């Protein structure tokens, strides 16, 4: 049997590209994923849903997944926006937000007057020249520029094809303002450590399952976890020749991974 599947107590699942493919119509579940989540929960394994989703609040995001048949609650989701809010409060930062309209409610309790930092997320249609330029002007006008990014993904997959992700726009602001962004979502080590702490599972006994070779697989492995790449979502065959990141295994989909893991219990 697969050595990578042994001695597992907890699973961390990426959401978009692993559970479902997003899209303008809400998206569609990936075959077998609803049942795979049900089987994980029935097995007694600890479970966290680790997403860089920043186009909606966790409540709205979870409600959409529940409508697709997934057994998931807000309390089981580790996401960038709540983590960013903790950082903003701890450091008395007041953000200028360049995020999706549906994510703005996550920052309702944050002081945004006279901004002293920029928070950027997957703003989708809000990534206009005017909005990027406004964020640039705010950032470059700071004595000590602070740029917080809710992830650094290059692209993701929707039902109508691949879409540019927040990382491309984050890099534009980094270059223009000669600043390095602080990444809150995957692949930041703090993000994975938070999910592990919430499960109460050490990294050596956890497996991350994702479709992003760099942010999901590479990020988890740097934290001491095993990591699998699914051949769904944004996966492309060239990922299997990545020069730096080598997953512990490739699986065709979440259902296949769960089959192998549960056989080891």
């Amino acid at each position: 049997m697969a050595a990578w599947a042994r001695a597992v107590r907890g699973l961390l699942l990426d959401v978009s590209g692993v559970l479902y493919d997003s899209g303008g119509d809400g998206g569609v579940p990936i075959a077998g994923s609803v049942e795979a989540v049900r089987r994980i929960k029935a097995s007694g394994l600890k479970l966290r849903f680790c997403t860089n989703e920043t186009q909606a609040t966790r409540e709205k995001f979870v409600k959409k997944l529940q409508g697709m048949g997934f057994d998931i609650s807000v309390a089981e989701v580790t996401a960038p926006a709540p983590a960013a809010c903790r950082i903003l409060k701890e450091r008395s930062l007041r953000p200028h937000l360049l995020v999706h309209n549906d994510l703005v409610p996550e920052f309702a309790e944050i002081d945004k007057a006279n901004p002293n930092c920029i928070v950027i997320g997957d703003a989708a249609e809000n990534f206009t020249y005017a909005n990027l330029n406004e964020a640039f002007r705010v950032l470059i006008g700071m004595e000590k520029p602070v740029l917080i990014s809710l992830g650094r993904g290059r692209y993701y997959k929707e039902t109508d094809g691949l879409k540019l992700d927040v990382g491309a726009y984050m890099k534009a602001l980094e270059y223009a303002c000669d600043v390095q962004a602080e990444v809150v979502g995957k692949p930041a080590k703090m993000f994975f450590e938070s999910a592990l702490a919430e499960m109460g599972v050490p990294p050596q006994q956890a497996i991350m399952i994702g479709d992003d070779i760099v942010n999901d697989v590479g990020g988890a492995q740097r934290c001491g976890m095993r990591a699998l790449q699914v051949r769904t979502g944004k996966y492309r065959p060239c990922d299997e020749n990545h020069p730096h990141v080598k997953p512990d295994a490739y699986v065709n989909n979440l259902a296949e991974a769960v089959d192998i893991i549960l056989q080891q219990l």
Side-chain angles (χ1 to χ4, degrees):
M1 299 302 292
W4 58 262
R6 295 173 184 160
V8 178
R9 289 181 51 213
L11 297 179
L12 291 76
L13 304 184
D14 181 30
V15 178
S16 179
V18 175
L19 300 187
Y20 82 115
D21 283 324
S22 60
D25 56 354
V28 294
I30 293 170
S33 59
V34 171
E35 177 64 11
V37 171
R38 187 198 65 77
R39 294 180 66 202
I40 293 168
K41 292 196 169 186
S43 73
L45 288 171
K46 298 291 184 68
L47 177 63
R48 294 296 296 179
F49 298 93
C50 295
T51 179
N52 270 6
E53 169 65 44
T54 56
Q55 287 194 13
T57 62
R58 283 179 301 165
E59 288 77 8
K60 187 174 180 179
F61 179 59
V62 165
K63 186 176 181 180
K64 178 175 73 172
L65 290 171
Q66 289 172 340
M68 295 181 188
F70 288 102
D71 181 2
I72 180 174
S73 68
V74 172
E76 296 172 308
V77 176
T78 302
C85 287
R86 287 194 294 271
I87 291 171
L88 295 171
K89 290 178 180 178
E90 290 169 1
R91 293 165 54 182
S92 298
L93 292 172
R94 303 178 303 279
H96 171 89
L97 298 176
L98 180 52
V99 300
H100 196 282
N101 290 341
D102 289 345
L103 190 70
V104 172
E106 290 273 19
F107 298 88
E109 298 181 5
I110 300 297
D111 181 7
K112 294 177 279 291
N114 189 24
N116 58 2
C117 73
I118 297 290
V119 172
I120 183 172
D122 181 11
E125 287 77 12
N126 280 349
F127 278 136
T128 63
Y129 175 80
N131 287 342
L132 275 168
N133 198 54
E134 183 181 6
F136 158 74
R137 286 176 171 175
V138 172
L139 191 62
I140 205 164
M142 297 175 187
E143 184 177 349
K144 295 182 179 179
V146 176
L147 174 60
I148 296 175
S149 185
L150 307 180
R152 70 174 190 197
R154 296 174 296 166
Y155 55 87
Y156 57 93
K157 183 183 178 184
E158 289 196 340
T159 50
D160 62 347
L162 298 178
K163 303 290 180 73
L164 276 177
D165 204 349
V166 61
Y169 304 96
M170 176 198 83
K171 286 293 184 181
L173 290 176
E174 282 187 331
Y175 177 70
C177 298
D178 193 22
V179 63
Q180 184 169 349
E182 302 175 35
V183 179
V184 176
K186 295 176 291 185
K189 188 175 182 180
M190 179 180 66
F191 183 89
F192 289 106
E193 289 175 341
S194 176
L196 289 167
E198 288 161 354
M199 289 197 302
V201 173
Q204 298 81 6
Q205 295 180 343
I207 293 178
M208 174 72 199
I209 303 175
D211 68 328
D212 189 312
I213 186 71
V214 174
N215 292 330
D216 294 332
V217 175
Q221 288 179 331
R222 285 194 296 274
C223 287
M225 283 186 275
R226 287 161 278 176
L228 312 182
Q229 186 177 21
V230 292
R231 296 187 176 102
T232 56
K234 69 167 67 174
Y235 164 84
R236 295 188 297 162
C238 63
D239 290 343
E240 301 196 24
N241 297 313
H242 194 279
H244 307 299
V245 182
K246 305 297 178 186
D248 290 87
Y250 295 95
V251 290
N252 288 320
N253 48 46
L254 176 61
E256 180 181 301
V258 171
D259 280 342
I260 296 170
I261 293 166
L262 296 188
Q263 287 172 17
Q264 297 285 333
L265 295 181

